[in-house]
Amino acid sequence: MMFSRNGIRALRIWTAVVLVFLYIPLLLVLINAFNASRTFAFPPTGFTLAWWADAARSPGMWHALANSVVVGLAATAIALVLGTMIAFAVQRHRFFGRTTVSFLVVLPITLPGIVTGIALNATFTSALGLMLGMATVIIGHATFCIVIVFNNTQARLRQMGSSLQDASADLGASSWQTFRFVTFPMMRGALLAGAILAFALSFDEIVVTTFTAGPTVQTLPIWIFSNLFRPNQAPVINVVAAALTVLAIIPVWLAGRFGGDPAGARV
């Protein structure tokens, strides 16, 4: 599709406007992390690292961060196992209700978070009689992390086809040897990318966590939200937000780096 010179110029201007709209708020968060004013007056009244020191000494922040990491890793592990198994079943086999199963797996991530949270809360407390805690948060996060892994794995399986697996079987390899030496090396990038994105999604989740955590578990997003409107904690919240903004670049880069064309994998 060809664009005129004016069309290309308009497209560039529109792209620049969208990028400014997306990144100016993040830039303000980074600036306010070093702003000497507690009210975040703009332009900044001075430069300080005091808020970073306060954040480093905050036991509540570190405890919430540890909870988020534990929940994210556990939910990602569950999602990797279940999401990958479902993707292989749906993509490699033909059975009655296959399309329905695929739809039902993807459905949780399309529902509003508050609907999922209410449903999980009712299931845990009313139907099963469980106490809300770390385990219920992990299960709640796994419900939507499975979708990320499932989509990544299924897309890679579609791209790969089955010719190499068939050739491996024809040459006498067992099912385990075919998976270990042919399928897994080609799937590795998609699995890693799915795991990284699932962890990032779990780490950021607040709505479902609110309904499944109970009073004893506090993840980092919950901690940030509960302290956001406290005047003495506001500068620390900005520091945590700025740090997370910078750290968020890592999983995005890793997902793009390792989720590429499987043709680059050594088989």
Side-chain angles (χ1 to χ4, degrees), residues 27-74:
L27 180 61
L28 290 177
V29 170
L30 292 173
I31 293 174
N32 280 330
F34 301 96
N35 191 348
S37 172
R38 284 184 178 273
T39 61
F40 309 128
F42 195 85
T45 57
F47 176 86
T48 182
L49 293 175
W51 314 134
W52 290 82
D54 290 344
R57 292 192 298 265
S58 173
M61 186 275 293
W62 288 112
H63 182 68
L65 176 62
N67 284 341
S68 288
V69 171
V70 170
V71 170
L73 291 176

Side-chain angles (χ1 to χ4, degrees), residues 109 116 135 170 182 233 252 260:
I109 206 170
T116 303
D170 290 341
V182 179
Q233 288 283 60
V252 174

Side-chain angles (χ1 to χ4, degrees), residues 25 30 41 71 79 84 108 138 155 166 213:
L30 292 173
V71 170
T84 302
I138 291 172
D166 294 340

